[in-house]
Amino acid sequence: MLATLDLVLLTVAFTTAHLLRFPWEVPPVHTAPGWTEFLVAPCIVVLWMTMLSVFRTRHPRIVGVGGDEYRRLLTASLLTGAAVAIVAYAVRLDLARGYVAIAFPVGLVLLALGRKAVRTVLAGQRARGRRLQDVLLVGDLDDVRYVGRRIVVTPAAGYRVGGVVTDCPAPDGLVDLDGVRLPVLGGLDRVLDLAASTGVAAVVVAGAVRGGHERLRRLGWELEERGVELVVSSPLADIAAGRVHERPVDGLPLMHVELPDYRRRAGKRVLDVVAATLGLVLLAPVFAVVAAAIRLDDGGPVLFRQARVGRGGQEFPILKFRTMCVDAESRVADLAQYNQGAGPLFKMQADPRVTRVGAFLRRTSLDELPQLWNVLTGTMSLVGPRPALPREVAVYRDFADRRLLVTPGITGLWQVSGRSDLDWAEGVRLDLHYVENWSFLHDVVILARTIPSVLRSRGAY
């Protein structure tokens, strides 16, 4: 099905290129411009389809997960273009440059959009429990719980845990994976028999196993004889692939992890200043309308100032449009019994302190707009960890204070992944992932994800 989709999209791309470059030559005749391109186009499409197959862009383990699918798609497309250029030069084939300049970019864009559409459909099916590979989780209980919970909350990866194999005792013989309780089927000595009897597609090794590397190598051979794949979880959790480089030593793949860079980034700061300046100027009418609505609602102040902790532990006043009643802070103690948040954050989905205008501002994220001033003055960035409250910082433990190594942002991984629907610990984990793996491209992706996140209003309360 995916190959058919690729063929249709490439046909559309080359047809579009011909119609745009030779609009009056349809259908072309052998004496008219475009005749050479009309004959060569099917050959290029066949070559492109072949390159997509050679680079295994349609392999089940590649489709729908991660960025490797798009990297392979780009590589196959660029090599196709290079091959066409070399052949055309070698045989003196006169292809219209405008035709080529349209066909290849359009073809690449259509292929990428097609894969994105397939990924969306596939993710929806997997979220409903379809097109999943059953796997056995093998390892110590702590490793099994960590890896298993990541698999359970990410069905788009294509795995479904069918059972746990461990030598560690589990309460009631069950392991809780983010609300999903799975049975312990046996110990490590029975993993081969259990893989065969349960009919799983793969065995996922979470962490180290008894017997070390030699046991793991033999396990891979034995599973191969039974047609079962071996999947090994890397201990390098929440580290981006760009920071990890393989350095083989006598057949042993050593993983070299680059040190993260926490210095101020000039390009990031330039983007912040330009975007904040444009935002404050262009959105001035919106600021005026929102300010008038807040004043007319209850007559209170327009802006809400609150102390937050920024880069290096320095406190700064964050600016927001006021969305709660004037005495909101003094009423926290009265509502403590209704707190739905975990950790030091107070969260309440139907908070009675939120005003009518405030509810709309929160739902649309318009209350965050004054933070553009914080971005312009340098206390915040467009993208970064969520600006922490002083009471949060006071209870930081287990390296959570590493969030303070970079400037907090208006948006970030926490905001585009669910906002208030996430618990405090998950928010800290996402912020630490951002801090450790920052890149300019990552910021651009988060900014792009912010728009649909705001439109969906998920977790905005």
Side-chain angles (χ1 to χ4, degrees):
M1 292 175 62
L2 195 55
T4 302
L5 176 62
D6 290 343
L7 180 59
V8 170
L9 293 176
L10 290 179
T11 302
V12 170
F14 280 89
T15 301
T16 302
H18 198 99
L19 292 175
L20 292 177
R21 179 62 181 82
F22 309 107
W24 308 110
E25 307 298 335
V26 181
V29 294
H30 69 281
T31 58
W35 174 250
T36 302
E37 288 77 8
F38 182 76
L39 294 178
V40 171
C43 301
I44 299 177
V45 170
V46 171
L47 174 62
W48 204 334
M49 292 287 292
T50 303
M51 296 298 287
L52 292 174
S53 297
V54 168
F55 282 88
R56 305 175 74 188
T57 63
R58 307 183 191 101
H59 195 280
R61 284 194 297 271
I62 299 299
V63 175
V65 182
D68 195 30
E69 179 182 8
Y70 293 108
R71 283 191 292 271
R72 295 184 183 213
L73 188 71
L74 178 61
T75 302
S77 301
L78 291 177
L79 287 179
T80 301
V84 169
I86 293 173
V87 172
Y89 177 79
V91 302
R92 299 183 182 277
L93 186 63
D94 187 20
L95 292 177
R97 284 174 291 182
Y99 177 82
V100 174
I102 296 172
F104 277 91
V106 171
L108 180 57
V109 170
L110 288 179
L111 287 175
L113 291 176
R115 296 305 174 94
K116 176 61 176 176
V118 170
R119 179 170 295 203
T120 302
V121 172
L122 188 58
Q125 291 180 336
R126 286 173 172 173
R128 294 190 295 270
R130 300 172 57 193
R131 298 188 181 274
L132 296 175
Q133 285 186 321
D134 289 318
V135 300
L136 286 183
L137 264 181
V138 179
D140 292 337
L141 272 184
D142 288 340
D143 291 331
V144 163
R145 287 194 185 100
Y146 182 84
V147 175
R149 285 168 181 165
R150 303 274 76 79
I151 292 176
V152 168
V153 301
T154 317
Y159 293 129
R160 175 172 50 208
V161 182
V164 173
V165 179
T166 181
D167 290 333
C168 304
D172 302 323
L174 298 172
V175 179
D176 185 17
L177 304 179
D178 202 37
V180 178
R181 295 173 64 82
L182 295 172
V184 175
L185 303 179
L188 294 179
D189 293 333
R190 297 190 56 212
V191 63
L192 294 175
D193 294 335
L194 291 171
S197 62
T198 55
V200 295
V203 169
V204 179
V205 177
V209 296
R210 178 167 45 84
H213 295 87
E214 184 64 25
R215 173 73 181 279
L216 189 61
R217 184 173 65 162
R218 291 184 176 276
L219 177 61
W221 291 338
E222 292 166 334
L223 289 172
E224 178 187 345
E225 294 175 354
R226 292 163 172 79
V228 179
E229 293 182 338
L230 175 65
V231 181
V232 180
S233 168
S234 170
L236 301 175
D238 289 323
I239 295 180
R243 288 181 53 207
V244 181
H245 305 280
E246 183 177 313
R247 184 177 294 176
V249 178
D250 193 25
L252 178 66
L254 298 183
M255 311 306 291
H256 176 77
V257 182
E258 291 183 353
L259 294 175
D261 183 9
Y262 303 119
R263 297 171 298 178
R264 288 187 179 271
R265 293 103 176 186
K268 182 180 177 70
R269 183 57 187 154
V270 169
L271 175 63
D272 286 344
V273 171
V274 172
T277 302
L278 290 176
L280 290 170
V281 173
L282 298 178
L283 296 174
V286 178
F287 277 72
V289 172
V290 172
I294 294 173
R295 292 289 290 178
L296 291 173
D297 189 30
D298 62 3
V302 171
L303 295 177
F304 171 72
R305 293 175 174 83
Q306 189 179 46
R308 296 292 179 101
V309 182
R311 182 186 175 94
Q314 297 294 318
E315 291 194 11
F316 69 94
I318 195 173
L319 296 177
K320 290 186 176 185
F321 282 124
R322 183 175 59 86
T323 59
M324 289 187 173
C325 56
V326 178
D327 60 344
E329 293 294 319
S330 62
R331 295 173 58 183
V332 172
D334 298 333
L335 299 171
Q337 58 181 322
Y338 304 109
N339 184 17
Q340 297 172 311
L345 292 180
F346 178 87
K347 291 190 292 186
M348 187 175 173
Q349 193 159 2
D351 197 323
R353 300 173 299 164
V354 177
T355 64
R356 291 175 300 174
V357 172
F360 173 78
L361 296 179
R362 289 188 170 208
R363 201 163 50 246
T364 56
S365 296
L366 290 174
D367 61 317
E368 312 280 353
L369 290 181
Q371 293 174 38
L372 289 172
W373 178 255
N374 290 112
V375 174
L376 188 61
T377 57
T379 54
M380 290 182 66
S381 176
L382 288 177
V383 183
R386 184 183 56 81
L389 292 163
R391 65 172 180 270
E392 291 180 66
V393 179
V395 298
Y396 275 171
R397 61 187 64 181
D398 195 24
F399 296 102
D401 57 349
R402 294 177 67 82
R403 298 171 73 246
L404 307 179
L405 291 172
V406 300
T407 307
I410 296 179
T411 186
L413 281 179
W414 181 83
Q415 289 88 336
V416 301
S417 301
R419 300 176 69 174
S420 295
D421 286 345
L422 301 177
D423 61 29
W424 184 74
E426 181 66 10
V428 171
R429 187 188 73 82
L430 290 173
D431 284 340
L432 289 178
H433 178 87
Y434 173 84
V435 170
E436 296 286 334
N437 303 291
W438 176 87
S439 70
F440 191 83
L441 180 60
H442 197 194
D443 275 7
V444 174
V445 171
I446 291 174
L447 286 171
R449 289 178 59 189
T450 299
I451 298 173
S453 179
V454 169
L455 294 177
R456 288 195 303 265
S457 302
R458 181 187 170 195
Y461 55 84

